[in-house]
Amino acid sequence: MLFNSISYAVFLPVVFVIHWALPHKYRWSILLLFSWYFYMSWNAKYLGLIIFATMVSYFAAIIIERKPEIKKAVLALSVIMCLMPLFVFKYFDFVSESISQLTGREAVTLKLLLPVGISFYTFQTLSYIIDVYKGQARAEYHFGIYAAFISFFPQLVAGPIERTTGLLPQIKQERVFSYEKATYGLKLMTWGFFKKLVIADNFAVFVDAVYSDLAGSSGFELLCAIFMFSLQIYCDFSGYSDIAIGSAKLLGIDLMTNFKSPYFSESIKEFWSRWHISLSSWFKDYVYIPLGGNKKGEVKRDVNLIITFLLSGLWHGASWTFIFWGGLHGVARIAERHIKIRLPGFIKRMGVFLFACVAWVFFRAESFKDAGYVLVNAVTGPADLSSYFANNTGAFSAGLLGAAVATVVLYVYDRAALKTDPIMKISSMGKWHRHAVYIAMLLAIVLLMAEGETEFVYFQF
């Protein structure tokens, strides 16, 4: 079930009404049942994987808390058990094919369909077990409440990756309906739909067309595809996060912020404090710091950074291009720690944005060969775009134009978000002014949205 579908437009109001109509003691069961139904709408048989991860982490945490003398062994075993399905479904073929290329032997592959969201809920179960092990959280003894925490539908398939102390207490505690929180959630969802449907999906049409025919594309087409994908993936993923956070607010639950105007960053370090915050903070807390962080000298610190970024790249996809993408960011992060250059803020922001755009090529391309072709030929000279647009429909060209105009709105919003909350700012405007903004936003979505229901990019991870 996609957020941008008629099914979800029916599903969410039903959950909202039943959730608030029932007494507090029954709400966890409603959240759990509807969350499992939400996930089963993709592939019912894969619900068993979530239940397996939930049961392993649930019992592991209780044993760790009750029997500290064996908690190290329980931690190791439970982490392996939680990671095993992720390895089998996502990484087995990649490892087998990589070994085959090195040895020359035939690869043994499973060709399994990747369960949607498996990377996200696996990391959520791991953080829960580790937090209980470290004494930073108490084990939850109510299995249903814990299962609702792991399976909470707004963030189940693409985050934010919630921590135990952030989401679990909210599932347990009695919540009182807040009109202000609910209306804020609806406004945030509208902004998320605007980014996804108007900007991301329209740019995706152009980007997909170019990447599906790289040999027939050159010059300015490739250059446009580079920049358009950078905006597409940002609007697609941050749009999902906004819809997820807004949906949760309708149920009285606050999820963590996942994006904070990342393309206005003045360093790679700042970029990763603003991009996919729930994942970057997860890797910092559960990989970088346990490796030693920055406490064992500069060389060890740099090694820890590279390992963390390489694993982050691998998390995104079972491909060497993803690992290389993570490594690029790691090298850039280390370089900026050792090389100090005084530059104006806007030059730094432009440099970070351009670096991110180039790195995204390896994220989007199917192979290093394709990525190299895009980067080399993007600067070989302008192409005749008039013939390109002439061979496409008017709706296609209009969609790109609408997305380009919408990007200006995105720029204004993200620029304002550096200092204030744009939604709260608009809400404080006079009645006619704020309603004019709401109507304009809804009209833009209706008139400029791309055709069809498209999946969110991060569903593949």
Side-chain angles (χ1 to χ4, degrees):
M1 186 185 304
L2 299 172
F3 280 169
N4 52 323
S5 67
I6 299 298
S7 300
Y8 191 74
V10 175
F11 172 82
L12 184 60
V14 170
V15 177
F16 175 82
V17 171
I18 297 177
H19 171 271
W20 289 114
L22 291 177
H24 163 67
K25 62 180 180 179
Y26 300 117
R27 287 176 184 164
W28 68 265
S29 60
I30 292 301
L31 291 180
L32 177 58
L33 291 174
F34 276 107
S35 293
W36 280 357
Y37 171 80
F38 177 82
Y39 193 81
M40 289 172 65
S41 66
W42 272 287
N43 196 320
K45 66 181 181 182
Y46 284 158
L47 177 64
L49 294 174
I50 296 180
I51 296 176
F52 172 78
T54 302
M55 293 182 66
V56 169
S57 54
Y58 169 78
F59 287 111
I62 292 176
I63 296 173
I64 287 171
E65 191 169 79
R66 287 184 172 181
K67 296 184 178 296
E69 66 275 11
I70 61 171
K71 68 177 187 179
K72 286 187 177 180
V74 174
L75 173 67
L77 179 60
S78 59
V79 167
I80 292 172
M81 292 178 68
C82 286
L83 285 174
M84 188 57 66
L86 179 62
F87 173 79
V88 171
F89 281 90
K90 189 171 183 177
Y91 299 109
F92 181 87
D93 288 359
F94 168 66
V95 172
S96 179
E97 290 169 354
S98 297
I99 294 175
S100 174
Q101 291 174 358
L102 290 174
T103 63
R105 296 180 179 179
E106 184 178 355
V108 177
T109 57
L110 302 177
K111 304 297 182 182
L112 297 173
L113 176 67
L114 182 66
V116 66
I118 188 171
S119 298
F120 290 90
Y121 67 73
T122 297
F123 269 33
Q124 193 153 312
T125 58
L126 292 179
S127 64
Y128 169 73
I129 299 170
I130 296 171
D131 287 347
V132 173
Y133 173 83
K134 292 181 175 180
Q136 297 174 350
R138 297 296 304 275
E140 175 55 54
Y141 285 74
H142 191 298
F143 179 79
I145 290 176
Y146 176 69
F149 156 66
I150 296 298
S151 307
F152 186 48
F153 73 87
Q155 49 90 224
L156 174 59
V157 295
I161 304 170
E162 284 292 329
R163 303 298 180 83
T164 307
T165 54
L167 179 56
L168 185 54
Q170 295 187 77
I171 300 290
K172 294 177 64 174
Q173 71 188 18
E174 184 171 0
R175 298 181 299 281
V176 179
F177 177 74
S178 168
Y179 175 80
E180 290 75 18
K181 181 178 285 189
T183 54
Y184 184 95
L186 288 172
K187 295 169 187 175
L188 186 60
M189 289 177 67
T190 302
W191 176 238
F193 281 121
F194 177 82
K195 287 192 286 187
K196 166 63 176 171
L197 301 176
V198 178
I199 302 178
D201 285 357
N202 278 305
F203 280 160
V205 176
F206 182 91
V207 172
D208 291 346
V210 170
Y211 272 91
S212 63
D213 183 25
L214 291 178
S217 305
S218 62
F220 197 59
E221 290 176 6
L222 294 171
L223 195 61
C224 285
I226 292 174
F227 287 104
M228 286 184 186
F229 180 72
S230 301
L231 294 170
Q232 175 201 340
I233 193 169
Y234 170 51
C235 291
D236 192 285
F237 192 21
S238 67
Y240 176 95
S241 296
D242 290 342
I243 299 168
I245 295 169
S247 298
K249 286 186 180 296
L250 289 174
L251 303 174
I253 293 175
D254 294 315
L255 299 180
M256 68 182 297
T257 300
N258 216 16
F259 292 87
K260 293 181 179 179
S261 307
Y263 286 149
F264 282 92
S265 302
E266 295 185 6
S267 66
I268 300 301
K269 179 181 179 180
E270 184 182 357
F271 176 84
W272 281 102
S273 71
R274 295 176 176 275
W275 177 277
H276 201 176
I277 299 169
S278 64
L279 180 69
S280 58
S281 61
W282 195 99
F283 272 103
K284 176 184 177 181
D285 293 340
Y286 299 107
V287 177
Y288 178 70
I289 292 178
L291 286 173
N294 56 4
K295 295 182 179 180
K296 297 183 179 181
E298 289 191 3
V299 174
K300 181 62 174 176
R301 176 193 61 192
D302 292 345
V303 171
N304 294 339
L305 272 174
I306 283 292
I307 292 174
T308 302
F309 275 101
L310 290 174
L311 289 175
S312 174
L314 182 62
W315 177 92
H316 282 84
S319 169
W320 288 107
T321 55
F322 285 109
I323 296 173
F324 185 77
W325 168 79
L328 275 179
H329 278 274
V331 171
R333 177 72 184 88
I334 291 171
E336 71 181 12
R337 296 188 71 160
H338 294 282
I339 303 173
K340 304 294 183 181
I341 302 176
R342 291 176 176 253
L343 294 171
F346 79 94
I347 296 294
K348 292 181 180 179
R349 289 192 292 271
M350 185 61 69
V352 171
F353 175 68
L354 291 176
F355 171 82
C357 289
V358 171
W360 284 130
V361 173
F362 295 93
F363 193 96
R364 176 62 178 80
E366 295 293 330
S367 65
F368 286 111
K369 180 180 179 181
D370 287 351
Y373 182 90
V374 171
L375 293 174
V376 170
N377 289 279
V379 294
T380 57
D384 182 10
L385 288 186
S386 60
S387 61
Y388 182 85
F389 286 106
N391 294 328
N392 289 280
T393 65
F396 176 83
S397 300
L400 278 183
L401 179 60
V405 173
T407 301
V408 177
V409 178
L410 173 70
Y411 176 88
V412 173
Y413 183 98
D414 275 15
R415 183 66 183 246
L418 294 173
K419 296 182 179 180
T420 186
D421 184 336
I423 293 178
M424 294 298 294
K425 188 72 173 180
I426 294 172
S427 299
S428 66
M429 296 168 60
K431 177 180 178 180
W432 295 109
H433 291 87
R434 68 173 182 269
H435 281 88
V437 173
Y438 302 151
I439 293 172
M441 186 68 66
L442 291 172
L443 284 175
I445 293 173
V446 172
L447 297 176
L448 299 176
M449 65 183 292
E451 296 181 1
E453 297 175 0
T454 59
E455 285 194 353
F456 292 81
V457 173
Y458 266 68
F459 279 17
Q460 64 184 293
F461 308 132

